[in-house]
Amino acid sequence: MRAIDVHVHPSTRGLDCDACAYFRRELNEVPTTEEKFADLFVAQQVKALLIGWHPSTVKDGTRNSNEHVIELVTRYPAAFAGILASLNVGSQPVAELIDEARALLENPAVKGFKFHPPDQNFYPNDRKHYELWELLEAGNKPVMFHTGFTVLGANQDGGHGIGLDCGRPIHLDTLARDFPRMKIIAAHPGWPWQEELIGVVTHKKNIYVDTSGYLAEQLPELFQRAIRGRLQDKALFGTDFPYVDLEKALISFDKLGLKDPAKEKILLANARALFGI
Ligand SMILES: [Zn+2]
């Protein structure tokens, strides 16, 4: 295994064509069958963690779901290491979410959870969700939150109802303070709040960060410096596939000029230790 990609959306369901356009992804380059999707990861010797969340902006086609990605992991174990499950935080009663979370925590395919506060319209540090976070913290599986800019609703009137504020890294700071044993992953470099993100990840030992949503050479300079240095034990390789191509992401990562130990940690060892893969 060459790398673990901790941030992969299945290209088989829930594909946002506006987001593809934003990333200048040719739709015919995106695999839509399960076989081709899996083959791509096998060919690169990368194991992916698949995200079960369905974006609000995609109305057509069959919805992505935790069940769908669990099925992919079961069918293609050489390509997929597990899933990051999602829950309808912000739009479903907490008691129901807790029941769902309990069942997901017991499933060995579930390696962690992934939420998108801007699209799901909630603040991670809002106390009304704390009962759910208590359960996830006790369940000992990492929890990823989208941070910073999102392509969902970008360049649309009112951003399609999506507010960026919910994705500010500083909200994860209070969450990490209140749940010191919860392993929190800030997805993306948090732009336009990359300084805030680096401050938060540096201060809270239980916050990690992934490199997804960018080719590595396009990551904010400050962020590149941070993962080369102090944050090299807390950074995780991620693509945001299918919006960012896996092969291009790997080639770009090589161009960062990281020393071998740091490179190994970010591509593989940090994720291995964090998710127990
Ligand atoms: Zn993503």
Side-chain angles (χ1 to χ4, degrees), residues 66-115:
N66 295 326
E67 292 71 27
H68 176 59
V69 285
I70 287 169
E71 206 172 293
L72 288 172
V73 170
T74 313
R75 276 199 210 141
Y76 304 96
F80 309 127
I83 79 151
L84 300 181
S86 203
L87 296 163
N88 294 323
V89 179
S91 59
Q92 209 177 317
V94 174
E96 285 177 29
L97 298 177
I98 284 177
D99 287 344
E100 276 182 47
R102 271 212 185 91
L104 288 163
L105 282 166
E106 279 171 23
N107 189 324
V110 177
K111 300 295 181 200
F113 292 81
K114 157 80 198 278
F115 302 106

Side-chain angles (χ1 to χ4, degrees), residues 7-9 51 53 114 116 144 146 187-188 212-213 239-241 243:
H7 195 129
V8 175
H9 301 277
I51 294 169
W53 172 72
K114 157 80 198 278
H116 198 301
M144 178 187 280
H146 172 98
H188 319 298
S212 72
T239 54
D240 213 359
F241 187 89
Y243 307 110

Side-chain angles (χ1 to χ4, degrees), residues 14 16 53-60 63 88 116 118-121 150 152-153 159-162:
D16 187 311
W53 172 72
H54 186 89
S56 71
T57 47
V58 180
K59 313 275 187 210
D60 301 328
R63 288 179 67 83
N88 294 323
H116 198 301
D119 193 30
Q120 296 182 288
N121 194 27
T150 176
L152 303 176
H160 265 331
I162 293 171

Side-chain angles (χ1 to χ4, degrees), residues 59 73 91 119 133 140 176 181 201 213 227 257:
K59 313 275 187 210
V73 170
S91 59
D119 193 30
W133 302 151
N140 211 21
R181 285 177 307 282
V201 181
I227 65 170

